[in-house]
Amino acid sequence: MARLEKYDLAIVGGGPAGMEAARVAALKGHRVILAEAAPGLGGAIEWCKLAPKLQTVGDIGYWLEHEVYRLGVDVRLSTYMDEEDVLNEAPDRVIVATGAALDLPLLQVQVPMNCIVPHKDARVVTSIDLLSDHRESWGATALVVDEVGHYEAIACAEFLLERGVHVTYVTRHSMFAPAIQPTLRVEATLQRLYATRRFRVLTASQIVAIEAKEVEVKPIYGCSSEAIDAEMVVWVGIRPGADELYRKLRSRGVSAVCIGDALAARTLQSAIAEGHAAARNIERAAMA
């Protein structure tokens, strides 16, 4: 069987999407550079592993990392690449898998024109901030805002409950975590959370204001609001993609595709599937 023609391929971003793209491309005979700004591969998986009940999510990351090295991919850790760095490598094709933006605007889908401006003394954090913080004292009360409807906000709530915090869970959705309903995990999760006797859910609700140690919440379709004690607010929102590198490369005429969370935050399975498809479609794109 004739060996496939090799392409020089640069993949920027060592999360699950980037690693899967590197794995498949290497299997097809391409020379692959996999550049990651962090000191290790894994991307968002590294934060997910810190959440309660999610430690085994790291298994897919370990396997992808093993395969990338086994197949001889040129892995470059602690390597931030801008468009000039990519151009200096002169790859025939670039796959951008730089993940989602870390900065998260306090926007709500139901009221998109109303960006919440917290009180200057309020403590508002993202899920990444929360899970990577190793403090010993977390206060007595917290409020988790779930704009996504997946497991991320649940993980944050459980993380705080395990540390003795009273948690109020506020979601715009008409039901609790609708995105994981097909997995049949919702009932067991609610039983576990309510068993702490420190957990409360407010569905179909929105944030009105975030003060120093309380949050004003109201039903989306109601008028009266409620002040809820919260020494900390964990905002789980829809993250925009970190696609700046992709846009700059395209403006310079570079053949590039953008995958995974770099387009917009998505599930782990979807990100890996996009990395797989991007690598498999290299010849087709090159011939077009």
Side-chain angles (χ1 to χ4, degrees):
M1 180 176 178
R3 185 175 179 82
L4 290 172
E5 179 184 0
K6 288 187 177 182
Y7 289 78
D8 288 325
L9 173 65
I11 301 174
V12 184
M19 286 194 290
E20 174 65 3
R23 183 186 75 86
V24 174
L27 283 172
K28 296 178 67 177
H30 301 304
R31 295 192 305 273
V32 183
I33 296 169
L34 177 60
E36 168 56 47
L41 298 176
I45 289 180
E46 296 305 299
W47 293 306
C48 294
K49 291 189 302 186
L50 301 174
K53 310 294 188 294
L54 286 184
Q55 291 83 355
T56 57
V57 75
D59 291 351
I60 183 61
Y62 297 138
W63 182 79
L64 286 170
E65 182 175 0
H66 176 269
E67 288 297 287
V68 162
Y69 281 109
R70 182 181 69 84
L71 294 167
V73 172
D74 180 4
V75 178
R76 302 180 185 180
L77 302 177
S78 300
T79 303
Y80 176 85
M81 295 187 76
D82 59 20
E83 69 273 19
E84 295 298 335
D85 296 321
V86 174
L87 289 170
N88 287 339
E89 294 291 342
D92 293 325
R93 191 158 179 81
V94 181
I95 295 177
V96 178
T98 43
L102 296 180
D103 294 331
L104 188 61
L106 305 187
L107 295 173
Q108 301 175 90
V109 172
Q110 296 288 351
V111 281
M113 300 302 293
N114 181 23
C115 184
I116 300 295
V117 179
H119 186 278
K120 64 181 179 64
D121 295 325
R123 175 167 169 75
V124 182
V125 301
T126 67
S127 60
I128 296 173
D129 297 328
L130 179 72
L131 297 175
S132 59
D133 194 330
H134 302 293
R135 68 178 58 207
E136 295 183 2
S137 176
W138 297 87
T141 58
L143 185 142
V144 176
V145 182
D146 180 17
E147 284 286 297
V148 180
H150 210 280
Y151 202 84
E152 183 178 356
I154 294 173
C156 293
E158 191 148 26
F159 182 89
L160 290 166
L161 289 167
E162 288 186 351
R163 286 154 179 79
V165 181
H166 289 255
V167 176
T168 302
Y169 189 105
V170 178
T171 178
R172 65 183 174 90
H173 300 284
S174 59
M175 64 176 65
F176 178 76
I180 67 167
Q181 288 285 339
T183 69
L184 305 179
R185 300 170 67 187
V186 172
E187 288 76 11
T189 298
L190 283 173
Q191 289 176 4
R192 192 169 66 246
L193 299 181
Y194 275 119
T196 66
R197 300 183 181 276
R198 287 179 277 103
F199 181 72
R200 178 191 182 197
V201 176
L202 296 177
T203 58
S205 298
Q206 69 181 65
I207 306 302
V208 178
I210 300 176
E211 303 300 337
K213 290 190 176 181
E214 69 176 28
V215 179
E216 186 179 353
V217 180
K218 67 177 287 291
I220 291 174
Y221 307 109
C223 298
S224 60
S225 61
E226 173 186 358
I228 298 174
D229 291 340
E231 296 174 40
M232 173 190 296
V233 175
V234 184
W235 196 283
V236 180
I238 300 173
R239 294 180 180 277
D243 64 348
E244 182 180 6
L245 175 62
Y246 168 72
R247 290 185 283 106
K248 287 182 177 180
L249 289 173
R250 295 288 292 188
S251 70
R252 301 283 291 272
V254 176
S255 178
V257 295
C258 188
I259 62 171
D261 288 354
L263 285 169
R266 65 244 292 113
T267 65
L268 175 62
Q269 296 93 326
S270 298
I272 292 174
E274 287 181 6
H276 189 96
R280 291 188 59 134
N281 288 336
I282 291 174
E283 281 84 7
R284 186 181 308 168
M287 294 171 60

